[in-house]
Amino acid sequence: MTEIPRILGSRYEIGELIGRGGMAQVHIGYDTRLSRTVAIKVLRADLAADPTFLARFRREAQSAAALNHPAIVAVYDTGEEKIETSTGRIVSLPYIIMEYVRGRTASKLLSSGVALPIEEAVQVIVGVLSALEYSHQEGIVHRDIKPGNIMMTQDGKIKVMDFGIARAIADSAATMTSTNSVVGTAQYLSPEQARGEVVDSRSDLYSTGCLLYELLSGKPPFQGDSAVAVAYQHVSEAPKPPSTIAPDIPNVLDRIAMKSLAKRREARYQSAAEMRTDLLNAIQGGEVSAPQVNAWQTQVIPTPPRPSDATAVLNTAEAAPNTVTSIFDPNNGPDTTTNTAIPAVTPKKRISWLVWIAIITFLLVGTGIAIVMGAFGEDAPTAPAVAMVDVPDLSNTDEAAARRILKDAGLVFKLGKPVEDDEIPEGIFVSSNPAVGTQVKKNSTITVHFSGGKAEITVPDLTKRNLTESQARAELEALGLRTGAVERVDEPGVPEGIVFDMTPAPNSKVAKGDIITIVVGTGKVQLPNLVGAGFESAQNEINARKLTFDTIRENSDQPEGTVIRQEPLAGMVSYDTRVKLVISSGPAATPTPAPTPPSTDTGGNNSGGSSGEGGN
């Protein structure tokens, strides 16, 4: 089998396998760039060459990445890695980087076959409906709502995941895969999905109704030997109200479950918001829009009685003489056939006088026996004694061991919510209700709580609020965290003793009692020697240290724009120092000499005279 690379996208480290599906597997991973734990969903290597599965996997990434909601598992990144198959072929292996959610899936909570507490079941469905309301508004139908795709985090939040077969509502072909097989999971298929028809948002609400039914009763509404048998029941059979399985379910929740499971889409809830409103009203004791449960049960007109029958059998207690209740199934619409009145027959039956004698004799004999038994002091039979057992000690046991011990004691195990505990390791027994040692009736249900490990705490951001070291310590201690060694760093722009960095990073998740390292400023920065540097270079050095400066220009023999002096000199300075730079304006200008006036030449006149004389 082809091995998955240990590093994807030169960034994501692949860890242990934490989940597996029909076309992909999920690993815990680590984002080396952002230093956070992630979940990595990778297409199975043996399917990477199949264009059908490639398209479906890529569609999941696109669908989920388009959704940003607290109740939907976030998608951070997607990519593809080139791998070599066992046959030597190079294929692209797609992967999805998702939010890593610590918690349990609803299928894990239901694995024991025991229903969830009613309030908890409603909380789960309200979270699912919140996610569906958002995805439907964004035009995306999930098409595979089931317990395995619903996650409950350790702090009780609900996350919907796996949009692997999601489609846009506007996609009219969103009924089949390219292989013409019906998509979805059989026990949670809507009737239109089972028939291969176009799906819409109300199909998700039917699947949500199946999930609600199972959370309340511990069983899905339909079960069968095969997926085909279950799909057939979704199409053709009405489910029994969940209260027939768990009698403690209130009538209002029965009504909501039955409405969400209507065969005809028009009879169901028309939006996730409408169903959520009914659920919240139900849990708060308000009114709900869902009709009574018997409105969803098909009423069958009985065969007219024969004259010899004692009475005419009517299908409802409200049926009056000479009338019949019409057939009406909210799932299929009203029956358009003509109803025939069935007269109630009251036959006249003669009772023989011998029968009267027999009745009177029976009464007399019974009375005589009672008198005789009383005379001889015969005690009336007493009810059998109720078997009582003690809740056994479950200390230091995990879930499997606790189940076994309670079963051996004749008690019923029920998994309670995990309890955060700093001392008891995760998954080990913490408490039970009734408590250990309590005497209870045999076959009583015992709710067992296990440790959820140390409480997870979100690291606060201490870096942008000008907190002092003592203020930061106090805030961390109030959250149950400890402060490690404090690092002191020359950080530009940070006063002495003020927190500007920390490890682990703000908003990361840590366990209670973990150590947080904080970094504070010294209030100092190193000012370099700027003399001889150009003005622009000196300006960049000062800005990098978040200092301010003033400039003065002077003539000098240095080139224009050169720093010829600085105050203060190079060395450690306060974070808020204002630097003075003296910048050269170049050499001073040389004065221009004044022009020389023209002089009178006397020698020229004598020469002229001589010439004149010579001329005589």
Side-chain angles (χ1 to χ4, degrees), residues 8-30:
L8 296 177
S10 302
R11 173 177 176 179
Y12 303 106
E13 295 179 358
I14 293 277
E16 62 178 313
L17 183 69
I18 57 175
R20 191 191 304 272
M23 73 171 184
Q25 50 196 42
V26 181
H27 295 258
I28 192 170
Y30 185 73

Side-chain angles (χ1 to χ4, degrees), residues 102 155 456-459 505 507-511 514:
R102 290 179 173 85
D155 56 356
E456 273 201 340
I457 299 173
T458 301
V459 178
N507 301 316
S508 57
K509 300 287 187 180
V510 297
D514 279 3

Side-chain angles (χ1 to χ4, degrees), residues 235-253:
V235 173
S236 61
E237 295 184 13
K240 296 178 181 178
S243 61
T244 60
I245 301 172
D248 61 330
I249 297 174
N251 174 260
V252 285
L253 292 181

Side-chain angles (χ1 to χ4, degrees), residues 4-5 7-12 14 24-25 27 38-44 54 57-58 60-61 75-83 92-98:
I4 298 176
I7 299 287
L8 296 177
S10 302
R11 173 177 176 179
Y12 303 106
I14 293 277
Q25 50 196 42
H27 295 258
V38 294
I40 305 177
K41 187 169 187 176
V42 185
L43 181 66
R44 279 172 37 194
L54 272 172
F57 194 87
R58 287 166 178 161
E60 173 180 2
V75 170
Y76 298 142
D77 192 10
T78 63
E80 296 189 3
E81 189 80 13
K82 296 290 185 183
I83 63 169
S92 292
L93 184 69
Y95 59 87
I96 303 173
I97 308 301
M98 303 181 295

Side-chain angles (χ1 to χ4, degrees), residues 528-542 551 553 556 558-566 581-585:
N529 181 18
L530 304 174
V531 175
F535 172 69
E536 185 176 347
S537 175
Q539 182 181 21
N540 291 338
E541 291 286 353
I542 293 175
T551 59
R553 293 189 174 269
S556 77
Q558 296 295 317
E560 184 180 357
T562 302
V563 178
I564 56 178
R565 288 196 307 278
Q566 72 178 67
L581 297 178
V582 180
I583 310 299
S584 173
S585 298

Side-chain angles (χ1 to χ4, degrees), residues 64 78 199 204 251 295 403 574 595:
T78 63
V199 300
D204 278 348
N251 174 260
R403 286 179 182 276
S574 175

